[in-house]
Amino acid sequence: MIFPPQAAEGIKNVYGIPMKKPRALIFRCGSCGHEEPKWLGRCPECGEWNTLTETAVSPGSHAGRALSGGTAPRSLPLSAVDPQEEKRVGSGIEELDRVLGGGIMKRSAVLLGGEPGIGKSTLLIQTAAAAGTRGRILYISGEESAGQVRMRADRLGLTANLDRIEMCCTGRLEDILVILEAVKPVLIMADSAQTLHTDEAGPAPGTINQMKFCAYELISWVKDHDAALFLSAHVTKDGLISGPKTLEHMVDTVLYFEQGGNPGGGGYDGDCRFLRAVKNRFGSVDEIGIFTMGEGGLQVVADPSLLFLVRREGAVPPGIATASVMEGSRSLLVELQALTVPAKGSVSRVFSGSIETNRVSRVAASLEKHLGLRLSDQDLYVNVAGGIRINEVGVELALAAALYSARTGIALPAATAIAGELSLAGEVLPVRKKAAREKTAGGLGFSLFTAGDLKGAALALFGSVKLG
Ligand code: TYD
Ligand code: MG
């Protein structure tokens, strides 16, 4: 058993209370690089035992500057604090502004995670070229050469801001800090966290320790200099743990890029990409950014419902229902597609990527119990056109309708958008934002349908209730 190192004798704080440690020392975990002001037997970050060792913080680092004093710490009445709200700048990309909560906040750090090839670098260069910031923009590329980034910018037809975007192709923190002081950018794009390294955080490049140390220094720099940082990070094969996840607690906003499917309609080229906030100190995490990725890079979609509705000649086949859902503050119509087939195994299974399988099972159980529609011997497949993930409860009645229609072979009436949450008792609970839903549905030539209970909904939509 290792005991905490003994406190240094004779050092007192401003209140005359003996201090346990000289303040320029910290305890750093040898496994993940997490830092603690005091010794602990177990690292709270990675859970490893006996990995925290006493480390002298180098005076040049931000942590060192903070710990070794300089100016005396002081507090401020909240009324005297400068509100930051007016310090937002438009990113020039509407869907990005939406997920950020209304633009790029000064002194903020945004982590942009996603699988390789999803479009992180594309979004960074498009944002650099479109951002409404006044000063210079530093694009740090640890993966691509300056020539490659320029080629991409040209291919995307980006012409604005090119004089203001300073390129630097290195991942070495010491070099980056020198460049930061020389350029004094207001916006920094760091692509990617995994390529950052420093001599200060151990000899092996590419470790979590290296990435965290460097990210912390960049974040500190933007906080001290009224700038903003976008830091991209790959979601690696072994999951999130060695990648962006370890940086999430350091930044203000965490955005993840998700891969969607092909657009259902609307004539958009490329496939759908969704930008979702999982943490946002400056806005809601409900909003999503909707893009298509095609020849022209990431495109903002003017009417997203067009991506998630399939235009058909003739009648709508059984198993198809149109749901009215809210994604953040935005009302959308999306096409749900359901298929039921006799279960291949002894237990029936649910295959659903875009709606939680638990929700599908619960809705299927309600149909079985309250309408007598046997689904427990069926495998259930559920899709959403465009591959958008739907988390809103208001999708449940439409999901019930799609499953009912798939199982009975009766098609739903055309141009009907369905909204409603199901209770386990078979009631349909009213949805929020009905007026917004009606407006969206009306604009696309749909009428909004909702009902008081499952049986009433089945009678109205299918003309009869199938029992047994
Ligand atoms: P990229 O931004 O390099 O992804 P990341 O930085 O997340 O690894 O995007 C690369 C992918 O996007 C690649 O598969 C090609 C595609 N793409 C387009 O389809 N159109 C474009 O205009 C661009 C720039 C990329
Ligand atoms: Mg990239």
Side-chain angles (χ1 to χ4, degrees):
M1 184 70 195
I2 299 176
F3 290 99
Q6 290 303 301
E9 289 291 324
I11 299 173
K12 294 187 175 166
N13 69 9
V14 288
Y15 306 107
I17 300 166
M19 277 176 39
K20 288 200 170 149
K21 302 261 7 119
R23 293 303 311 273
L25 290 178
I26 52 157
F27 293 88
R28 185 175 290 151
C29 171
S31 168
C32 71
H34 177 74
E35 291 172 357
E36 279 287 321
K38 61 184 192 322
W39 188 86
L40 294 172
R42 185 181 192 188
C43 173
E45 183 72 18
C46 67
E48 291 289 320
W49 289 92
N50 292 332
T51 49
L52 262 63
T53 50
E54 192 176 321
T55 313
V57 179
S58 97
S61 75
H62 183 81
R65 284 192 299 278
L67 289 175
S68 61
T71 54
R74 66 189 188 102
S75 61
L76 202 64
L78 187 55
S79 58
V81 174
D82 181 17
Q84 301 254 310
E85 199 45 45
E86 78 282 8
K87 295 194 172 163
R88 285 186 192 270
V89 209
S91 69
I93 299 178
E94 196 189 328
E95 293 294 293
L96 178 60
D97 284 349
R98 176 191 296 277
V99 271
L100 290 174
I104 305 170
M105 190 70 124
K106 277 192 188 170
R107 291 195 210 161
S108 75
V110 179
L111 180 69
L112 177 63
E115 288 175 6
I118 193 92
K120 300 181 294 296
S121 306
T122 308
L123 184 64
L124 291 186
I125 192 68
Q126 286 188 220
T127 307
T133 49
R134 293 257 166 72
R136 289 204 276 182
I137 299 161
L138 182 66
Y139 193 106
I140 304 163
S141 175
E143 290 175 3
E144 293 155 314
S145 68
Q148 280 172 307
V149 177
R150 175 67 202 264
M151 253 168 55
R152 171 180 288 158
D154 286 350
R155 199 154 42 80
L156 295 173
L158 304 176
T159 49
N161 283 359
L162 288 199
D163 293 339
R164 293 201 291 130
I165 302 173
E166 295 283 324
M167 282 300 305
C168 96
C169 294
T170 175
R172 188 166 178 268
L173 182 68
E174 287 77 359
D175 296 341
I176 293 170
L177 290 173
V178 170
I179 294 169
L180 283 174
E181 289 306 325
V183 174
K184 290 266 177 354
V186 291
L187 182 60
I188 303 167
M189 304 298 188
D191 192 20
S192 65
Q194 275 96 350
T195 59
L196 298 174
H197 59 93
T198 169
D199 305 337
E200 271 193 72
T207 59
I208 297 180
N209 204 356
Q210 292 269 357
M211 186 171 80
K212 287 175 78 170
F213 189 101
C214 299
Y216 182 73
E217 286 292 316
L218 291 186
I219 293 164
S220 304
W221 197 92
V222 297
K223 304 260 172 211
D224 289 349
H225 293 81
D226 242 5
L229 169 72
F230 280 77
L231 178 62
S232 77
H234 304 299
V235 174
T236 43
K237 260 216 184 102
D238 54 337
L240 297 170
I241 301 308
S242 63
K245 237 346 180 235
T246 55
L247 302 174
E248 281 186 359
H249 68 280
M250 293 188 191
V251 296
D252 303 294
T253 304
V254 180
L255 308 179
Y256 279 98
F257 244 132
E258 283 175 11
Q259 175 79 52
N262 285 325
Y268 289 100
D269 103 280
D271 49 9
C272 305
R273 297 277 201 282
F274 307 114
L275 195 58
R276 243 174 235 279
V278 298
K279 164 180 173 179
N280 194 355
R281 287 197 183 130
F282 308 122
S284 144
V285 291
D286 292 334
E287 299 290 348
I288 64 165
I290 301 173
F291 299 91
T292 57
M293 171 69 110
E295 280 300 297
L298 288 161
Q299 306 276 334
V300 166
V301 176
D303 188 352
S305 287
L306 297 177
L307 291 181
F308 312 124
L309 290 179
V310 180
R311 292 277 170 208
R312 292 188 178 79
E313 302 291 323
V316 178
I320 303 288
T322 304
S324 154
V325 293
M326 296 300 300
E327 271 297 334
S329 59
R330 183 156 49 179
S331 147
L332 298 175
L333 295 192
V334 297
E335 176 174 304
L336 310 186
Q337 302 159 357
L339 173 69
T340 66
V341 289
K344 287 173 203 64
S346 52
V347 282
S348 70
R349 287 176 299 171
V350 174
F351 301 88
S352 171
S354 301
I355 298 179
E356 268 181 89
T357 54
N358 277 349
R359 195 186 294 280
V360 178
S361 301
R362 192 155 36 79
V363 168
S366 274
L367 287 173
E368 182 143 350
K369 171 74 182 171
H370 301 294
L371 299 184
L373 182 75
R374 192 156 163 78
L375 287 166
S376 53
D377 57 354
Q378 304 283 308
D379 282 341
L380 311 179
Y381 296 82
V382 175
N383 253 347
V384 177
I388 184 172
R389 197 150 53 81
I390 306 288
N391 299 321
E392 205 233 312
V393 289
V395 77
E396 289 176 350
L397 184 60
L399 178 59
L403 289 169
Y404 190 98
S405 166
R407 182 74 178 102
T408 58
I410 308 170
L412 278 152
T416 306
I418 304 169
E421 176 186 350
L422 296 188
S423 80
L424 290 180
E427 304 148 296
V428 178
L429 308 176
V431 287
R432 63 192 177 92
K433 301 259 174 90
K434 199 161 172 214
R437 293 177 199 255
E438 259 161 1
K439 189 162 171 242
T440 306
L444 291 159
F446 281 70
S447 60
L448 189 71
F449 175 88
T450 191
D453 60 62
L454 259 184
K455 203 169 266 180
L459 276 174
L461 290 170
F462 299 99
S464 68
V465 178
K466 165 120 180 161
L467 294 170

